[in-house]
Amino acid sequence: MKSVEITGNMDSKRKLLMGLFWTNRKGVRSEGCAPFLIEKIETENNTYTPDEGKFLKLSEDILNDILENIDDKKEVKFDIKLGEEDIKASFKDNVFSVDTTKTKDLEDEIIEKIGQEEKRKYPNICFSFPPRVGIRKYP
């Protein structure tokens, strides 16, 4: 598992999107065009999983729960599937952590890129990414 502290002056939503976006973007390099599937999200009081045959999206209710936990410095965990890669990611106390099962070098690539991007007020996030994970309003 690799981690990076996100100290840049940005809101929790940007931090979340930056972590998920660069996890996806770097993962695609090893897994090709496989879909980025969030299989489970755990906050302090809730566990979210998709309905059978559906994808888990960051609906307004789920997103609000996640952001509230991030703002309160509580841990939020994500189980992500990208092709054959199983990724565990988490946020706690402004620290983004990632653990991969297949390609361990991927952890370094993700953390390094987030470390570069977190220094920016507006980190690079592809405009099509938020809607793909269910976020309708961005920024």
Side-chain angles (χ1 to χ4, degrees):
M1 177 178 286
K2 302 287 180 164
S3 300
V4 62
E5 184 173 12
I6 300 174
T7 58
N9 187 23
M10 65 183 87
D11 63 22
S12 297
K13 192 176 202 178
R14 286 190 197 277
K15 291 176 187 179
L16 172 66
L17 281 172
M18 181 178 61
L20 294 176
F21 174 73
W22 287 107
T23 298
N24 176 56
R25 182 67 153 254
K26 292 298 182 177
V28 165
R29 297 179 88 197
S30 65
E31 294 302 311
C33 293
F36 181 81
L37 304 174
I38 300 173
E39 295 186 323
K40 183 166 76 170
I41 300 169
E42 292 180 63
T43 64
E44 183 176 51
N45 296 316
N46 297 299
T47 298
Y48 302 99
T49 56
D51 293 333
E52 191 171 325
K54 300 209 176 194
F55 301 115
L56 184 58
K57 299 285 187 182
L58 301 179
S59 68
E60 193 170 332
D61 291 339
I62 294 173
L63 182 61
N64 287 338
D65 186 27
I66 292 168
L67 296 178
E68 188 175 297
N69 276 265
I70 290 173
D71 288 340
D72 292 342
K73 300 188 183 314
K74 297 174 184 167
E75 188 170 31
V76 178
K77 298 178 185 179
F78 298 85
D79 289 352
I80 300 166
K81 183 80 168 165
L82 184 61
E84 294 181 17
E85 187 70 74
D86 291 315
I87 302 168
K88 299 216 182 278
S90 66
F91 270 102
K92 184 177 182 184
D93 289 331
N94 291 321
V95 174
F96 179 79
S97 301
V98 65
D99 185 26
T100 58
T101 56
K102 181 180 162 200
T103 311
K104 286 298 183 183
D105 291 344
L106 181 57
E107 294 174 16
D108 293 322
E109 291 178 30
I110 293 167
I111 295 303
E112 182 180 325
K113 186 60 180 176
I114 291 172
Q116 293 168 358
E117 290 293 317
E118 70 94 15
K119 292 175 177 77
R120 303 170 63 146
K121 181 171 182 169
Y122 299 105
N124 286 327
I125 298 170
C126 179
F127 71 92
S128 67
F129 185 73
R132 284 191 307 178
V133 293
I135 297 174
R136 291 194 171 101
K137 295 178 187 173
Y138 180 75

